[in-house]
Short mmCIF file of all heavy atoms in Angstrom, two decimals:
data_model
loop_
_atom_site.label_atom_id
_atom_site.label_comp_id
_atom_site.label_asym_id
_atom_site.label_seq_id
_atom_site.Cartn_x
_atom_site.Cartn_y
_atom_site.Cartn_z
N MET A 1 0.85 -1.19 0.00
CA MET A 1 0.00 0.00 0.00
C MET A 1 0.88 1.24 0.00
O MET A 1 1.80 1.35 0.80
CB MET A 1 -0.89 -0.01 1.24
CG MET A 1 -2.04 0.98 1.16
SD MET A 1 -3.05 0.94 2.65
CE MET A 1 -2.17 2.07 3.71
N SER A 2 0.60 2.16 -0.89
CA SER A 2 1.42 3.37 -0.92
C SER A 2 0.81 4.43 -0.01
O SER A 2 -0.41 4.53 0.11
CB SER A 2 1.55 3.90 -2.34
OG SER A 2 0.29 4.24 -2.84
N LYS A 3 1.67 5.18 0.59
CA LYS A 3 1.25 6.24 1.50
C LYS A 3 0.56 7.35 0.72
O LYS A 3 1.04 7.75 -0.34
CB LYS A 3 2.49 6.78 2.20
CG LYS A 3 2.22 7.82 3.25
CD LYS A 3 1.60 7.21 4.47
CE LYS A 3 1.36 8.30 5.51
NZ LYS A 3 0.72 7.77 6.70
N ASN A 4 -0.54 7.86 1.22
CA ASN A 4 -1.24 8.90 0.48
C ASN A 4 -1.34 10.22 1.23
O ASN A 4 -2.14 11.07 0.89
CB ASN A 4 -2.62 8.42 0.05
CG ASN A 4 -3.49 8.05 1.22
OD1 ASN A 4 -3.11 8.26 2.38
ND2 ASN A 4 -4.65 7.51 0.96
N TRP A 5 -0.49 10.39 2.24
CA TRP A 5 -0.46 11.68 2.96
C TRP A 5 0.94 11.89 3.54
O TRP A 5 1.37 11.10 4.39
CB TRP A 5 -1.48 11.69 4.09
CG TRP A 5 -1.57 13.01 4.80
CD1 TRP A 5 -0.93 13.37 5.95
CD2 TRP A 5 -2.31 14.16 4.40
NE1 TRP A 5 -1.23 14.67 6.28
CE2 TRP A 5 -2.09 15.17 5.34
CE3 TRP A 5 -3.17 14.42 3.30
CZ2 TRP A 5 -2.67 16.42 5.24
CZ3 TRP A 5 -3.74 15.67 3.22
CH2 TRP A 5 -3.50 16.66 4.19
N TYR A 6 1.61 12.88 3.05
CA TYR A 6 2.92 13.22 3.61
C TYR A 6 3.31 14.62 3.14
O TYR A 6 2.78 15.11 2.13
CB TYR A 6 3.99 12.18 3.25
CG TYR A 6 4.15 11.91 1.76
CD1 TYR A 6 4.94 12.73 0.97
CD2 TYR A 6 3.50 10.83 1.17
CE1 TYR A 6 5.09 12.48 -0.38
CE2 TYR A 6 3.64 10.56 -0.18
CZ TYR A 6 4.43 11.39 -0.95
OH TYR A 6 4.56 11.14 -2.30
N PRO A 7 4.20 15.28 3.84
CA PRO A 7 4.55 16.65 3.47
C PRO A 7 5.41 16.73 2.22
O PRO A 7 6.20 15.82 1.93
CB PRO A 7 5.33 17.17 4.68
CG PRO A 7 5.69 16.00 5.49
CD PRO A 7 4.87 14.84 5.06
N ILE A 8 5.21 17.82 1.52
CA ILE A 8 6.06 18.17 0.39
C ILE A 8 6.60 19.57 0.68
O ILE A 8 5.82 20.50 0.93
CB ILE A 8 5.26 18.18 -0.93
CG1 ILE A 8 4.74 16.77 -1.23
CG2 ILE A 8 6.14 18.69 -2.08
CD1 ILE A 8 3.76 16.74 -2.41
N ILE A 9 7.90 19.70 0.69
CA ILE A 9 8.54 20.98 1.01
C ILE A 9 8.86 21.73 -0.28
O ILE A 9 9.48 21.19 -1.18
CB ILE A 9 9.87 20.75 1.77
CG1 ILE A 9 9.68 19.85 2.99
CG2 ILE A 9 10.50 22.08 2.16
CD1 ILE A 9 8.79 20.41 4.04
N ASP A 10 8.44 22.98 -0.31
CA ASP A 10 8.83 23.86 -1.42
C ASP A 10 10.17 24.50 -1.03
O ASP A 10 10.23 25.40 -0.19
CB ASP A 10 7.76 24.94 -1.62
CG ASP A 10 8.07 25.82 -2.83
OD1 ASP A 10 9.27 26.00 -3.15
OD2 ASP A 10 7.11 26.33 -3.43
N LEU A 11 11.22 24.01 -1.61
CA LEU A 11 12.55 24.45 -1.21
C LEU A 11 12.84 25.90 -1.61
O LEU A 11 13.77 26.52 -1.08
CB LEU A 11 13.62 23.51 -1.78
CG LEU A 11 13.60 22.10 -1.16
CD1 LEU A 11 14.62 21.20 -1.86
CD2 LEU A 11 13.87 22.13 0.34
N ASP A 12 12.05 26.45 -2.52
CA ASP A 12 12.21 27.88 -2.85
C ASP A 12 11.67 28.77 -1.74
O ASP A 12 12.17 29.87 -1.53
CB ASP A 12 11.51 28.20 -4.17
CG ASP A 12 12.21 27.56 -5.36
OD1 ASP A 12 13.44 27.36 -5.29
OD2 ASP A 12 11.54 27.26 -6.34
N LEU A 13 10.63 28.29 -1.04
CA LEU A 13 10.05 29.06 0.06
C LEU A 13 10.73 28.74 1.40
O LEU A 13 10.74 29.55 2.32
CB LEU A 13 8.56 28.77 0.17
CG LEU A 13 7.70 29.26 -0.99
CD1 LEU A 13 6.26 28.79 -0.83
CD2 LEU A 13 7.73 30.78 -1.10
N CYS A 14 11.26 27.55 1.51
CA CYS A 14 11.87 27.09 2.76
C CYS A 14 13.14 27.88 3.07
O CYS A 14 14.01 28.04 2.21
CB CYS A 14 12.20 25.61 2.64
SG CYS A 14 13.07 24.93 4.07
N THR A 15 13.20 28.37 4.32
CA THR A 15 14.36 29.16 4.75
C THR A 15 15.41 28.31 5.46
O THR A 15 16.47 28.82 5.82
CB THR A 15 13.92 30.26 5.74
OG1 THR A 15 13.39 29.62 6.91
CG2 THR A 15 12.86 31.17 5.12
N GLY A 16 15.06 27.05 5.72
CA GLY A 16 15.99 26.19 6.45
C GLY A 16 15.98 26.44 7.94
O GLY A 16 16.95 26.12 8.64
N CYS A 17 14.86 26.98 8.45
CA CYS A 17 14.78 27.24 9.90
C CYS A 17 14.72 25.94 10.71
O CYS A 17 15.03 25.93 11.89
CB CYS A 17 13.57 28.12 10.21
SG CYS A 17 11.97 27.29 10.09
N LEU A 18 14.27 24.88 10.08
CA LEU A 18 14.19 23.53 10.66
C LEU A 18 13.17 23.41 11.79
O LEU A 18 13.21 22.44 12.56
CB LEU A 18 15.57 23.02 11.10
CG LEU A 18 16.63 23.00 9.99
CD1 LEU A 18 17.94 22.41 10.51
CD2 LEU A 18 16.15 22.24 8.76
N ALA A 19 12.27 24.37 11.89
CA ALA A 19 11.21 24.28 12.90
C ALA A 19 10.35 23.03 12.68
O ALA A 19 9.91 22.39 13.64
CB ALA A 19 10.34 25.53 12.87
N CYS A 20 10.12 22.68 11.44
CA CYS A 20 9.30 21.50 11.14
C CYS A 20 9.98 20.23 11.63
O CYS A 20 9.32 19.32 12.14
CB CYS A 20 9.02 21.41 9.65
SG CYS A 20 10.50 21.44 8.61
N VAL A 21 11.28 20.17 11.50
CA VAL A 21 12.03 18.99 11.93
C VAL A 21 11.93 18.83 13.44
O VAL A 21 11.73 17.73 13.95
CB VAL A 21 13.50 19.10 11.48
CG1 VAL A 21 14.29 17.87 11.90
CG2 VAL A 21 13.59 19.29 9.96
N SER A 22 12.04 19.94 14.15
CA SER A 22 11.93 19.90 15.61
C SER A 22 10.51 19.59 16.05
O SER A 22 10.29 18.92 17.06
CB SER A 22 12.33 21.26 16.21
OG SER A 22 13.64 21.58 15.85
N PHE A 23 9.54 20.08 15.28
CA PHE A 23 8.13 19.96 15.67
C PHE A 23 7.63 18.52 15.57
O PHE A 23 6.93 18.03 16.46
CB PHE A 23 7.29 20.86 14.77
CG PHE A 23 5.84 20.91 15.14
CD1 PHE A 23 5.36 21.88 16.00
CD2 PHE A 23 4.95 19.98 14.63
CE1 PHE A 23 4.02 21.92 16.34
CE2 PHE A 23 3.60 20.01 14.98
CZ PHE A 23 3.14 20.99 15.83
N CYS A 24 7.97 17.84 14.49
CA CYS A 24 7.39 16.52 14.23
C CYS A 24 8.03 15.48 15.13
O CYS A 24 9.24 15.34 15.18
CB CYS A 24 7.58 16.13 12.77
SG CYS A 24 6.84 14.51 12.43
N THR A 25 7.17 14.73 15.82
CA THR A 25 7.66 13.70 16.74
C THR A 25 7.64 12.31 16.10
O THR A 25 7.86 11.31 16.78
CB THR A 25 6.80 13.66 18.03
OG1 THR A 25 5.44 13.44 17.65
CG2 THR A 25 6.91 14.97 18.78
N HIS A 26 7.37 12.27 14.80
CA HIS A 26 7.22 10.97 14.13
C HIS A 26 8.39 10.63 13.20
O HIS A 26 8.26 9.72 12.37
CB HIS A 26 5.90 10.95 13.36
CG HIS A 26 4.71 11.08 14.25
ND1 HIS A 26 4.16 10.02 14.92
CD2 HIS A 26 3.98 12.18 14.60
CE1 HIS A 26 3.12 10.44 15.64
NE2 HIS A 26 3.00 11.75 15.47
N ASN A 27 9.46 11.38 13.32
CA ASN A 27 10.67 11.03 12.56
C ASN A 27 10.42 11.01 11.04
O ASN A 27 10.96 10.17 10.34
CB ASN A 27 11.21 9.68 13.04
CG ASN A 27 12.63 9.43 12.58
OD1 ASN A 27 13.42 10.36 12.47
ND2 ASN A 27 12.96 8.18 12.27
N VAL A 28 9.58 11.94 10.59
CA VAL A 28 9.31 12.03 9.15
C VAL A 28 10.48 12.72 8.43
O VAL A 28 10.86 12.32 7.34
CB VAL A 28 8.00 12.81 8.90
CG1 VAL A 28 7.80 13.11 7.42
CG2 VAL A 28 6.82 12.02 9.46
N TYR A 29 11.03 13.72 9.10
CA TYR A 29 12.06 14.54 8.47
C TYR A 29 13.47 14.15 8.87
O TYR A 29 13.73 13.77 10.01
CB TYR A 29 11.88 16.02 8.88
CG TYR A 29 10.63 16.67 8.39
CD1 TYR A 29 9.61 17.00 9.29
CD2 TYR A 29 10.46 16.99 7.05
CE1 TYR A 29 8.45 17.64 8.86
CE2 TYR A 29 9.31 17.63 6.61
CZ TYR A 29 8.31 17.95 7.52
OH TYR A 29 7.17 18.58 7.11
N GLU A 30 14.37 14.34 7.94
CA GLU A 30 15.79 14.40 8.23
C GLU A 30 16.30 15.69 7.60
O GLU A 30 15.58 16.35 6.85
CB GLU A 30 16.51 13.17 7.65
CG GLU A 30 16.17 11.90 8.41
CD GLU A 30 16.84 10.66 7.85
OE1 GLU A 30 17.71 10.79 6.96
OE2 GLU A 30 16.47 9.57 8.29
N VAL A 31 17.52 16.05 7.92
CA VAL A 31 18.10 17.29 7.38
C VAL A 31 19.16 16.93 6.35
O VAL A 31 19.99 16.06 6.56
CB VAL A 31 18.72 18.13 8.51
CG1 VAL A 31 19.33 19.42 7.95
CG2 VAL A 31 17.67 18.45 9.58
N LYS A 32 19.07 17.61 5.23
CA LYS A 32 20.01 17.37 4.15
C LYS A 32 20.42 18.72 3.56
O LYS A 32 19.56 19.49 3.15
CB LYS A 32 19.30 16.51 3.09
CG LYS A 32 20.17 15.99 1.98
CD LYS A 32 19.31 15.01 1.17
CE LYS A 32 19.90 14.67 -0.15
NZ LYS A 32 19.01 13.77 -0.90
N ASP A 33 21.67 19.01 3.59
CA ASP A 33 22.19 20.29 3.09
C ASP A 33 21.47 21.47 3.72
O ASP A 33 21.17 22.47 3.05
CB ASP A 33 22.07 20.37 1.56
CG ASP A 33 22.88 19.29 0.86
OD1 ASP A 33 23.93 18.88 1.40
OD2 ASP A 33 22.47 18.85 -0.22
N GLY A 34 21.16 21.36 5.02
CA GLY A 34 20.57 22.47 5.75
C GLY A 34 19.08 22.68 5.53
O GLY A 34 18.50 23.63 6.04
N LYS A 35 18.47 21.78 4.79
CA LYS A 35 17.02 21.88 4.55
C LYS A 35 16.35 20.57 4.97
O LYS A 35 16.98 19.51 4.96
CB LYS A 35 16.74 22.13 3.05
CG LYS A 35 17.26 23.47 2.52
CD LYS A 35 16.35 24.62 2.87
CE LYS A 35 16.84 25.95 2.34
NZ LYS A 35 16.44 26.23 0.96
N PRO A 36 15.05 20.63 5.32
CA PRO A 36 14.36 19.41 5.69
C PRO A 36 14.15 18.52 4.47
O PRO A 36 13.99 19.01 3.35
CB PRO A 36 13.01 19.91 6.24
CG PRO A 36 12.82 21.23 5.59
CD PRO A 36 14.19 21.82 5.38
N TYR A 37 14.18 17.27 4.75
CA TYR A 37 14.02 16.26 3.70
C TYR A 37 13.03 15.23 4.23
O TYR A 37 13.14 14.79 5.39
CB TYR A 37 15.40 15.64 3.43
CG TYR A 37 15.40 14.33 2.71
CD1 TYR A 37 14.95 14.23 1.38
CD2 TYR A 37 15.86 13.17 3.34
CE1 TYR A 37 14.97 13.02 0.72
CE2 TYR A 37 15.88 11.96 2.69
CZ TYR A 37 15.44 11.88 1.38
OH TYR A 37 15.46 10.69 0.73
N VAL A 38 12.02 14.90 3.44
CA VAL A 38 10.99 13.94 3.88
C VAL A 38 11.55 12.53 3.69
O VAL A 38 11.39 11.91 2.64
CB VAL A 38 9.68 14.15 3.10
CG1 VAL A 38 8.61 13.16 3.57
CG2 VAL A 38 9.18 15.58 3.28
N ALA A 39 12.23 12.07 4.72
CA ALA A 39 12.95 10.79 4.65
C ALA A 39 12.04 9.60 4.90
O ALA A 39 12.27 8.52 4.37
CB ALA A 39 14.08 10.79 5.68
N ASN A 40 11.03 9.81 5.74
CA ASN A 40 10.16 8.71 6.13
C ASN A 40 8.68 9.08 5.97
O ASN A 40 7.95 9.25 6.95
CB ASN A 40 10.44 8.32 7.60
CG ASN A 40 11.87 7.88 7.80
OD1 ASN A 40 12.33 6.92 7.20
ND2 ASN A 40 12.60 8.63 8.62
N PRO A 41 8.24 9.22 4.71
CA PRO A 41 6.85 9.64 4.48
C PRO A 41 5.83 8.70 5.10
O PRO A 41 4.75 9.15 5.50
CB PRO A 41 6.75 9.66 2.95
CG PRO A 41 7.90 8.85 2.44
CD PRO A 41 8.98 8.99 3.46
N ASP A 42 6.16 7.43 5.22
CA ASP A 42 5.22 6.46 5.80
C ASP A 42 4.93 6.76 7.27
O ASP A 42 3.92 6.30 7.80
CB ASP A 42 5.76 5.03 5.69
CG ASP A 42 5.69 4.51 4.26
OD1 ASP A 42 5.20 5.24 3.37
OD2 ASP A 42 6.14 3.37 4.03
N ASN A 43 5.81 7.51 7.93
CA ASN A 43 5.60 7.83 9.34
C ASN A 43 4.62 8.98 9.54
O ASN A 43 4.15 9.22 10.66
CB ASN A 43 6.92 8.22 10.00
CG ASN A 43 7.84 7.04 10.20
OD1 ASN A 43 7.52 5.92 9.79
ND2 ASN A 43 8.98 7.27 10.81
N CYS A 44 4.32 9.73 8.49
CA CYS A 44 3.43 10.89 8.64
C CYS A 44 2.02 10.40 8.95
O CYS A 44 1.53 9.43 8.37
CB CYS A 44 3.44 11.71 7.36
SG CYS A 44 2.49 13.22 7.47
N VAL A 45 1.38 11.08 9.88
CA VAL A 45 0.04 10.73 10.33
C VAL A 45 -0.99 11.31 9.37
O VAL A 45 -0.99 12.52 9.11
CB VAL A 45 -0.21 11.27 11.76
CG1 VAL A 45 -1.62 10.96 12.22
CG2 VAL A 45 0.83 10.69 12.72
N GLU A 46 -1.85 10.47 8.85
CA GLU A 46 -2.79 10.91 7.83
C GLU A 46 -3.62 12.09 8.31
O GLU A 46 -4.19 12.06 9.41
CB GLU A 46 -3.72 9.75 7.45
CG GLU A 46 -4.48 10.03 6.17
CD GLU A 46 -5.05 8.76 5.55
OE1 GLU A 46 -5.03 7.71 6.20
OE2 GLU A 46 -5.52 8.85 4.40
N PHE A 47 -3.65 13.13 7.50
CA PHE A 47 -4.39 14.37 7.72
C PHE A 47 -3.83 15.23 8.86
O PHE A 47 -4.43 16.23 9.21
CB PHE A 47 -5.88 14.11 7.90
CG PHE A 47 -6.48 13.35 6.74
CD1 PHE A 47 -7.25 12.21 6.96
CD2 PHE A 47 -6.26 13.76 5.44
CE1 PHE A 47 -7.79 11.49 5.90
CE2 PHE A 47 -6.79 13.04 4.36
CZ PHE A 47 -7.56 11.91 4.59
N CYS A 48 -2.70 14.84 9.42
CA CYS A 48 -2.01 15.75 10.34
C CYS A 48 -1.48 16.92 9.53
O CYS A 48 -0.96 16.75 8.43
CB CYS A 48 -0.83 15.02 11.01
SG CYS A 48 0.14 16.09 12.11
N ARG A 49 -1.65 18.12 10.08
CA ARG A 49 -1.06 19.32 9.47
C ARG A 49 -0.22 20.05 10.51
O ARG A 49 -0.04 21.27 10.45
CB ARG A 49 -2.16 20.26 8.95
CG ARG A 49 -2.91 19.72 7.73
CD ARG A 49 -3.96 20.72 7.27
NE ARG A 49 -4.71 20.24 6.13
CZ ARG A 49 -4.33 20.43 4.85
NH1 ARG A 49 -3.25 21.11 4.58
NH2 ARG A 49 -5.07 19.96 3.88
N GLY A 50 0.26 19.29 11.46
CA GLY A 50 0.98 19.88 12.58
C GLY A 50 2.14 20.77 12.18
O GLY A 50 2.25 21.91 12.64
N CYS A 51 2.98 20.27 11.34
CA CYS A 51 4.17 21.05 10.98
C CYS A 51 3.81 22.23 10.08
O CYS A 51 4.44 23.28 10.15
CB CYS A 51 5.24 20.16 10.34
SG CYS A 51 4.66 19.14 8.97
N GLN A 52 2.77 22.07 9.27
CA GLN A 52 2.34 23.19 8.41
C GLN A 52 1.74 24.31 9.26
O GLN A 52 2.05 25.49 9.07
CB GLN A 52 1.30 22.69 7.41
CG GLN A 52 0.81 23.75 6.44
CD GLN A 52 -0.39 23.28 5.63
OE1 GLN A 52 -1.40 22.86 6.18
NE2 GLN A 52 -0.25 23.31 4.32
N LYS A 53 0.86 23.92 10.19
CA LYS A 53 0.14 24.92 10.99
C LYS A 53 0.95 25.40 12.20
O LYS A 53 0.83 26.55 12.61
CB LYS A 53 -1.18 24.32 11.52
CG LYS A 53 -2.12 23.82 10.44
CD LYS A 53 -2.72 24.95 9.63
CE LYS A 53 -3.78 24.42 8.68
NZ LYS A 53 -4.15 25.43 7.67
N GLY A 54 1.73 24.49 12.78
CA GLY A 54 2.36 24.80 14.05
C GLY A 54 3.84 25.14 13.98
O GLY A 54 4.41 25.58 14.98
N ALA A 55 4.45 24.91 12.82
CA ALA A 55 5.90 25.12 12.77
C ALA A 55 6.31 26.08 11.66
O ALA A 55 7.10 26.99 11.90
CB ALA A 55 6.61 23.78 12.59
N CYS A 56 5.80 25.87 10.46
CA CYS A 56 6.32 26.64 9.32
C CYS A 56 5.66 28.01 9.21
O CYS A 56 4.45 28.12 9.08
CB CYS A 56 6.12 25.87 8.02
SG CYS A 56 6.98 26.68 6.64
N SER A 57 6.47 29.04 9.26
CA SER A 57 5.98 30.42 9.13
C SER A 57 6.12 30.92 7.70
O SER A 57 5.87 32.10 7.43
CB SER A 57 6.79 31.35 10.06
OG SER A 57 6.72 30.89 11.39
N PHE A 58 6.52 30.05 6.79
CA PHE A 58 6.87 30.51 5.44
C PHE A 58 6.05 29.86 4.33
O PHE A 58 6.41 29.94 3.16
CB PHE A 58 8.38 30.28 5.22
CG PHE A 58 9.22 30.96 6.27
CD1 PHE A 58 9.65 30.25 7.39
CD2 PHE A 58 9.52 32.30 6.16
CE1 PHE A 58 10.41 30.88 8.37
CE2 PHE A 58 10.27 32.94 7.14
CZ PHE A 58 10.72 32.23 8.25
N GLU A 59 4.98 29.17 4.73
CA GLU A 59 4.08 28.52 3.77
C GLU A 59 4.82 27.60 2.81
O GLU A 59 4.48 27.48 1.64
CB GLU A 59 3.26 29.58 3.00
CG GLU A 59 2.40 30.41 3.93
CD GLU A 59 1.50 31.39 3.21
OE1 GLU A 59 1.58 31.50 1.96
OE2 GLU A 59 0.69 32.05 3.90
N ALA A 60 5.83 26.94 3.34
CA ALA A 60 6.66 26.06 2.49
C ALA A 60 6.21 24.60 2.52
O ALA A 60 6.76 23.79 1.79
CB ALA A 60 8.12 26.16 2.94
N ILE A 61 5.20 24.30 3.36
CA ILE A 61 4.77 22.90 3.49
C ILE A 61 3.37 22.72 2.90
O ILE A 61 2.43 23.40 3.29
CB ILE A 61 4.76 22.46 4.97
CG1 ILE A 61 6.17 22.57 5.56
CG2 ILE A 61 4.24 21.01 5.09
CD1 ILE A 61 6.24 22.23 7.04
N GLN A 62 3.30 21.82 1.93
CA GLN A 62 2.02 21.35 1.40
C GLN A 62 2.00 19.84 1.64
O GLN A 62 2.97 19.28 2.13
CB GLN A 62 1.92 21.67 -0.10
CG GLN A 62 2.04 23.15 -0.43
CD GLN A 62 0.88 23.97 0.09
OE1 GLN A 62 -0.26 23.51 0.11
NE2 GLN A 62 1.16 25.19 0.55
N TYR A 63 0.91 19.20 1.27
CA TYR A 63 0.82 17.75 1.49
C TYR A 63 0.44 17.01 0.23
O TYR A 63 -0.49 17.42 -0.48
CB TYR A 63 -0.19 17.43 2.59
CG TYR A 63 0.26 17.96 3.92
CD1 TYR A 63 -0.13 19.21 4.35
CD2 TYR A 63 1.17 17.24 4.68
CE1 TYR A 63 0.35 19.74 5.53
CE2 TYR A 63 1.65 17.76 5.88
CZ TYR A 63 1.24 19.00 6.30
OH TYR A 63 1.73 19.53 7.45
N PHE A 64 1.14 15.94 0.01
CA PHE A 64 0.69 15.00 -1.00
C PHE A 64 -0.61 14.41 -0.48
O PHE A 64 -0.68 13.97 0.66
CB PHE A 64 1.72 13.88 -1.21
CG PHE A 64 1.29 12.87 -2.22
CD1 PHE A 64 1.54 13.06 -3.56
CD2 PHE A 64 0.60 11.72 -1.83
CE1 PHE A 64 1.13 12.13 -4.50
CE2 PHE A 64 0.18 10.79 -2.77
CZ PHE A 64 0.43 10.99 -4.11
N GLY A 65 -1.67 14.42 -1.28
CA GLY A 65 -2.93 13.84 -0.87
C GLY A 65 -3.96 14.85 -0.42
O GLY A 65 -5.07 14.48 -0.06
N GLU A 66 -3.61 16.16 -0.42
CA GLU A 66 -4.58 17.13 0.12
C GLU A 66 -5.58 17.62 -0.93
O GLU A 66 -6.54 18.28 -0.56
CB GLU A 66 -3.86 18.31 0.77
CG GLU A 66 -3.16 19.25 -0.17
CD GLU A 66 -2.41 20.35 0.60
OE1 GLU A 66 -2.74 20.61 1.75
OE2 GLU A 66 -1.49 20.93 0.01
N ASN A 67 -5.37 17.34 -2.18
CA ASN A 67 -6.31 17.83 -3.19
C ASN A 67 -7.24 16.74 -3.69
O ASN A 67 -6.97 15.59 -3.61
CB ASN A 67 -5.55 18.42 -4.37
CG ASN A 67 -4.84 19.70 -3.97
OD1 ASN A 67 -5.41 20.53 -3.28
ND2 ASN A 67 -3.58 19.82 -4.36
S1 LIG B 101 2.07 16.43 9.18
FE1 LIG B 101 2.30 15.78 11.32
S2 LIG B 101 3.16 13.72 11.27
FE2 LIG B 101 3.39 14.60 9.23
S3 LIG B 101 5.44 15.47 9.20
FE3 LIG B 101 4.08 17.11 9.86
S4 LIG B 101 3.99 17.04 12.11
FE4 LIG B 101 4.89 15.11 11.35
S1 LIG B 102 9.48 25.09 9.03
FE1 LIG B 102 9.14 25.69 6.89
S2 LIG B 102 10.80 27.16 6.43
FE2 LIG B 102 11.38 26.06 8.31
S3 LIG B 102 12.64 24.35 7.57
FE3 LIG B 102 10.52 23.58 7.72
S4 LIG B 102 9.64 23.89 5.67
FE4 LIG B 102 11.51 25.11 5.80
#
């Protein structure tokens, strides 16, 4: 079964503040070249928008599966 909900980072908008990495307790993100990288999309909780709403101030997080 393929995962149908996980974050997609817009690296043009992302400032590399890494607030999303600190915020998520599910080990979805890793850091690569100073920017967040969605290393474990299967760990993302379906319909959670925690990092989008609670961490990112730059509108850099969208979700695969939200449309
Ligand atoms: S949406 Fe929720 S579970 Fe998914 S990466 Fe963000 S904080 Fe973690
Ligand atoms: S919180 Fe937003 S701006 Fe900061 S690292 Fe994550 S995606 Fe980038």
Side-chain angles (χ1 to χ4, degrees):
M1 195 181 86
S2 61
K3 184 72 179 178
N4 60 6
W5 185 264
Y6 55 84
I8 296 171
I9 307 297
D10 184 331
L11 292 175
D12 290 332
L13 293 174
C14 176
T15 64
C17 73
L18 303 183
C20 54
V21 181
S22 302
F23 185 92
C24 181
T25 57
H26 297 278
N27 195 34
V28 171
Y29 294 110
E30 289 179 9
V31 180
K32 188 172 166 182
D33 298 329
K35 295 280 180 85
Y37 162 66
V38 181
N40 300 300
D42 287 358
N43 287 4
C44 185
V45 178
E46 194 162 11
F47 305 129
C48 177
R49 290 181 181 272
C51 52
Q52 182 190 55
K53 302 291 187 193
C56 189
S57 304
F58 304 95
E59 299 184 356
I61 300 176
Q62 302 293 324
Y63 295 93
F64 178 87
E66 71 183 339
N67 292 316

